[in-house]
Amino acid sequence: MNALMGRMMQMPLLISALITHAARHHAETEIVSRLEDGRTHRYTYRDAELRSRQLAQALGRLGTEPGDRIATLAWNGHRHFEIYFGASGSGRVCHTINPRLFPEQITWIVNHAQDRVLCFDLSFLPLIEKIAPQLASVRHFVALCERAQMPGQTTLANLQCYEDLVGAEDGHYAWPSFDENTASGICYTSGTTGNPKGAVYSHRSTLLHALAASLPDTLNLSAQDTILPVVPMYHVNAWGIPYSAALVGCKLVLPGPHLDGQSLYELFEAEGVTMAAGVPTVWLAVLGHIQDKKLKFSTLQRLVFGGSAAPPSMMKTFQRDYGVDVIHCWGMTEMSPLGTFARLKNGQSALGEESQRRILQKQGRAIFGVDMAILGDDGQPLPWDGEQSGNLIVRGPWVIAQYFGHDDSPLIDVGGQRWFPTGDVATIDVYGGMQITDRSKDVIKSGGEWISSIELENIAMAHPAVHEAAVIGCKHPKWDERPLLVVVKKPGTEVTREALLDFFNGQIAKWQIPDDVAFVDEIPHTATGKIQKLTLRKQFADYRLPTA
Ligand code: AMP
């Protein structure tokens, strides 16, 4: 075919364009950060862009090159924001690491990603000192602080001060242009088995995601907004909010490590926050605080709930008692992460309150750019009837095609197209409203963070009194899910609940240790000998954890 080609400019979609746009058109709009020591830092997009350029120069001076991974172990703050733009914008790759992982896992991730520079907030210094000898690829450790805050004594041989590095540069730096498919960031997600896996985002995927995330039926962002991402910048780029914020030029408020209900409420009020985003556990803490102290929000208009299912009662309370619009969304690390949003469609606002609520409680309909389908056990697509649930698959330009360092593809062929299986089980109704009903991947999500059941089972199985162990997620009012260890004891042995839980100490992060142990005579198996997690979850559906 002799197609007529468009006659429009060819401009790669690059992350640097976001920050240069914000600096030109929203130069005086503020970015406010609460620092680790409680002080408030305030500057503008103009300042942030200049310092991102200075950082790009500094990364060059440190001897790093395009493609090199610049890792962060940091809270949501302005310096982390600068690394997002300075590292990616200069062609390097911003690798955000979840500091809540077990030190061995962090070590593994840094080595796997071959990080060259590791930037960290001072609260992570003890952790980094501990793992530094194992971090073979890291050439420079950079403390995200001022000179006066630099630790007097440290075992880190080549520790640099971020403010010194940035301050030494003049900012005469032109953002380079390159292929929009170049890697911009990496985020590792805890797998069900074995080691975490890295999702590698590109400039193109990040920009398309940022555009889609800003739309009215998505995060609904405008230059008039003041946005506070509670969702960490180490978790799927804070759902892409730093990029979308620069795109629309809204004021950005970054809470640092101060994530309790009172601190967040005070920040909402002090900075005039109109929208905030995070996992339900965070909103439970905020709700508890305002109910307890009989407070109201003076500026907050909407809260975005994602990462775990939003409890309907909490959504209702925020809406009814505080006039806050609650937006429920679903996504995952492999999807940059946004996939669906529960928003009313044309005509649906005429529905009664209960009907509307039923629509808004679901995980929602796919945003443009994400296609989804559900498959039955036979691999065939199921109808969108809101009844039949199946394995949820997705495709789109910000959906993963391959994990970092893995040659094999995680994708499957359905109807002649390539799809990513999410590991979630869902129904989709006739209006396209998706609702998660279960999970086929064997993991537990506690307060928005993953716990691998298999890892816990492996530890339990190493105990001399354990014949067989299975770990399932049990409903928990605060954390959504917490792990329950189900154990069949070896004949003739004795072990207590306490001794078993004690056995996990030092082998896994403390918050990942199961909340309770249930001793049973038998664990259900499939014909091929696999543990039937679904049956086990049903068996313990009403189990009340002692921590609940
Ligand atoms: P992550 O990659 O850590 O962002 O986790 C993604 C997974 O979290 C999804 O595959 C779901 O299992 C779960 N998830 C995310 N959002 C929701 C939601 N709104 N409701 C239920 N589960 C969710």
Side-chain angles (χ1 to χ4, degrees):
M1 194 176 69
N2 225 349
L4 175 66
M5 301 309 286
R7 303 284 202 272
M8 308 308 271
M9 289 189 190
Q10 291 285 336
M11 279 176 68
L13 301 174
L14 298 177
I15 283 174
S16 55
L18 294 172
I19 195 70
T20 48
H21 172 83
R24 279 207 193 110
H25 303 285
H26 303 277
E28 39 313 284
T29 299
E30 280 187 313
I31 299 171
V32 179
S33 308
R34 276 204 73 198
L35 306 179
E36 282 183 300
D37 60 13
R39 284 179 301 155
T40 301
H41 175 274
R42 217 171 264 286
Y43 71 173
T44 64
Y45 279 113
R46 185 195 284 121
D47 305 325
E49 196 264 344
L50 170 60
R51 281 171 50 95
S52 303
R53 270 185 281 135
Q54 289 172 295
L55 173 63
Q57 288 177 303
L59 290 173
R61 204 176 290 275
L62 289 179
T64 65
E65 309 213 341
D68 279 349
R69 268 75 76 193
I70 312 300
T72 64
L73 268 164
W75 305 108
N76 292 8
H78 66 291
R79 296 186 183 108
H80 205 172
F81 183 85
E82 291 159 11
I83 299 170
Y84 266 43
F85 292 95
S88 306
S90 63
R92 295 169 180 87
V93 183
C94 175
H95 173 203
T96 54
I97 304 174
N98 184 346
R100 286 172 56 82
L101 298 176
F102 205 47
E104 280 75 4
Q105 261 179 324
I106 296 179
T107 306
W108 187 90
I109 287 174
V110 171
N111 287 330
H112 188 260
Q114 291 284 291
D115 294 329
R116 283 275 172 268
V117 178
L118 177 50
C119 306
F120 62 92
D121 276 334
L122 284 179
S123 44
F124 304 118
L125 177 65
L127 164 70
I128 300 206
E129 283 180 331
K130 186 169 153 191
I131 62 176
Q134 279 89 53
L135 307 182
S137 61
V138 177
R139 303 273 177 275
H140 304 278
F141 294 94
V142 179
L144 296 171
C145 66
E146 299 151 22
R147 163 72 23 206
Q149 294 172 307
M150 283 297 280
Q153 278 200 323
T154 175
T155 55
L156 295 177
N158 41 0
L159 180 63
Q160 317 242 6
C161 168
Y162 182 84
E163 288 300 325
D164 283 357
L165 288 175
V166 168
E169 304 299 335
D170 59 13
H172 291 303
Y173 175 85
W175 293 113
S177 183
F178 42 80
D179 186 335
E180 64 185 14
N181 291 301
T182 304
S184 59
I186 305 191
C187 187
Y188 280 73
T189 178
S190 311
T192 49
T193 47
N195 292 313
K197 291 183 190 153
V200 186
Y201 310 114
S202 70
H203 285 257
R204 173 187 159 81
S205 71
T206 305
L207 254 82
L208 292 174
H209 181 269
L211 276 166
S214 309
L215 290 172
D217 278 346
T218 316
L219 294 173
N220 188 15
L221 302 185
S222 128
Q224 295 185 38
D225 271 314
T226 297
I227 296 176
L228 190 153
V230 179
V231 48
M233 288 171 75
Y234 57 75
H235 188 184
V236 213
N237 301 323
W239 299 348
I241 289 174
Y243 305 119
S244 291
L247 185 146
V248 300
C250 62
K251 175 173 164 183
L252 191 59
V253 181
L254 302 170
H258 312 284
L259 303 174
D260 58 289
Q262 179 176 345
S263 303
L264 287 174
Y265 174 79
E266 286 171 3
L267 203 52
F268 285 179
E269 292 299 300
E271 299 302 330
V273 170
T274 55
M275 187 280 246
V279 293
T281 305
V282 165
W283 304 135
L284 192 64
V286 172
L287 186 61
H289 177 70
I290 54 174
Q291 283 178 329
D292 201 34
K293 298 277 187 287
K294 305 207 172 3
L295 301 166
K296 292 276 176 208
F297 296 110
S298 26
T299 55
L300 188 69
Q301 298 165 359
R302 50 202 200 283
L303 281 181
V304 180
F305 280 58
S308 290
S313 60
M314 205 194 339
M315 291 177 77
K316 198 168 167 177
T317 308
F318 269 116
Q319 241 138 10
R320 191 194 52 206
D321 299 353
Y322 298 95
V324 173
D325 190 13
V326 173
I327 303 169
H328 189 197
C329 64
W330 165 88
M332 56 195 307
T333 306
E334 288 89 337
M335 299 174 67
S336 306
L338 300 176
T340 64
F341 275 75
R343 305 300 275 159
L344 295 180
K345 295 213 271 198
N346 195 311
Q348 288 181 333
S349 45
L351 295 172
E353 202 180 315
E354 265 319 302
S355 306
Q356 286 192 21
R357 195 157 282 151
R358 271 199 294 278
I359 295 169
L360 297 174
Q361 279 165 4
K362 293 192 174 187
Q363 275 70 17
R365 58 194 159 80
I367 56 182
F368 173 79
V370 173
D371 197 4
M372 63 182 181
I374 42 173
L375 305 180
D377 290 338
D378 58 359
Q380 292 306 308
L382 291 172
W384 291 18
D385 59 7
E387 297 286 331
Q388 300 186 61
S389 70
N391 294 311
L392 182 64
I393 57 173
V394 290
R395 61 196 297 270
W398 55 82
V399 175
I400 195 166
Q402 203 163 31
Y403 288 102
F404 184 57
H406 287 245
D407 291 335
D408 51 336
S409 168
L411 307 186
I412 55 169
D413 277 314
V414 179
Q417 289 166 333
R418 304 284 282 160
W419 295 78
F420 175 71
T422 63
D424 286 321
V425 177
T427 59
I428 305 179
D429 64 31
V430 282
Y431 304 106
M434 185 273 284
Q435 184 164 30
I436 304 272
T437 54
D438 203 351
R439 219 181 268 142
S440 56
K441 47 193 171 194
D442 199 2
V443 277
I444 295 156
K445 208 167 199 197
S446 164
E449 297 277 356
W450 289 120
I451 300 175
S452 161
S453 329
I454 292 164
E455 216 171 309
L456 297 181
E457 286 159 9
N458 287 343
I459 294 174
M461 290 296 284
H463 191 283
V466 173
H467 169 65
E468 187 167 30
V471 174
I472 51 168
C474 267
K475 280 274 147 230
H476 191 283
K478 180 168 180 195
W479 303 109
D480 187 33
E481 284 180 348
R482 288 293 304 156
L484 168 71
L485 173 64
V486 183
V487 164
V488 180
K489 281 188 272 194
K490 274 198 187 131
T493 60
E494 265 319 312
V495 63
T496 62
R497 165 190 182 277
E498 287 68 29
L500 264 184
L501 294 181
D502 222 31
F503 189 64
F504 285 86
N505 271 327
Q507 301 208 57
I508 197 146
K510 260 206 152 33
W511 60 273
Q512 297 182 328
I513 297 177
D515 277 19
D516 202 8
V517 184
F519 292 101
V520 294
D521 293 334
E522 204 182 339
I523 286 174
H525 290 98
T526 62
T528 55
K530 276 168 67 174
I531 295 176
Q532 280 181 318
K533 286 287 172 88
L534 265 173
T535 313
L536 204 57
R537 283 207 284 269
K538 273 192 199 131
Q539 201 176 316
F540 284 91
D542 298 323
Y543 192 84
R544 218 181 131 71
L545 292 165
T547 51

